Amino acid sequence: MLDVPAEIIALLYHYRWTIEIFFRFFKQILGCRHLLSRSQNGIEIQTYCAIIACMLISLWTGKKPTLRTYELICWYLIGMADLDELMAHIARLNKAEA
């Protein structure tokens, strides 16, 4: 990439760790270790869905999403956990912060 100005390269390098932390979070917490599609549209849909799920978890729990919270919500949505278990988990999150 020889046609990119040096200022842009420096800015990208400056934000390198922020970008790497985002992708670590994206892969480990949101479970997006593998792409479900090879098309640009499919990748965008998967990315948007994961980010929206993350924001909804944050809004609902008031906490940063964890892998355990994400898994428990998934289990609830497919019927493997009941609402009481999910609410108990969220209550433990709130108690742990206090």
Side-chain angles (χ1 to χ4, degrees):
M1 295 181 58
L2 299 175
D3 59 336
V4 178
E7 294 83 17
I8 300 296
I9 299 294
L11 185 63
L12 288 173
Y13 186 76
H14 178 73
Y15 288 111
R16 174 181 174 216
W17 292 112
T18 304
I19 294 167
E20 288 190 21
I21 289 171
F22 167 77
F23 280 107
R24 179 177 175 257
F25 173 78
F26 187 74
K27 291 165 121 181
Q28 292 182 352
I29 302 299
L30 300 179
C32 296
R33 290 187 177 99
H34 303 286
L35 295 175
L36 301 176
S37 175
R38 293 181 184 202
S39 71
Q40 180 179 347
N41 192 36
I43 293 169
E44 286 177 3
I45 289 171
Q46 181 180 359
T47 303
Y48 288 136
C49 287
I51 292 170
I52 290 168
C54 175
M55 291 184 341
L56 288 173
I57 291 169
S58 290
L59 287 172
W60 190 42
T61 63
K63 308 280 181 257
K64 177 182 161 189
T66 64
L67 181 58
R68 177 71 177 130
T69 304
Y70 175 75
E71 288 174 343
L72 197 53
I73 290 172
C74 289
W75 290 340
Y76 170 72
L77 292 173
I78 62 173
M80 292 181 62
D82 60 16
L83 185 58
D84 294 334
E85 290 174 303
L86 183 56
M87 297 310 289
H89 172 73
I90 293 171
R92 281 193 302 272
L93 289 175
N94 291 332
K95 190 183 293 185
E97 183 181 286

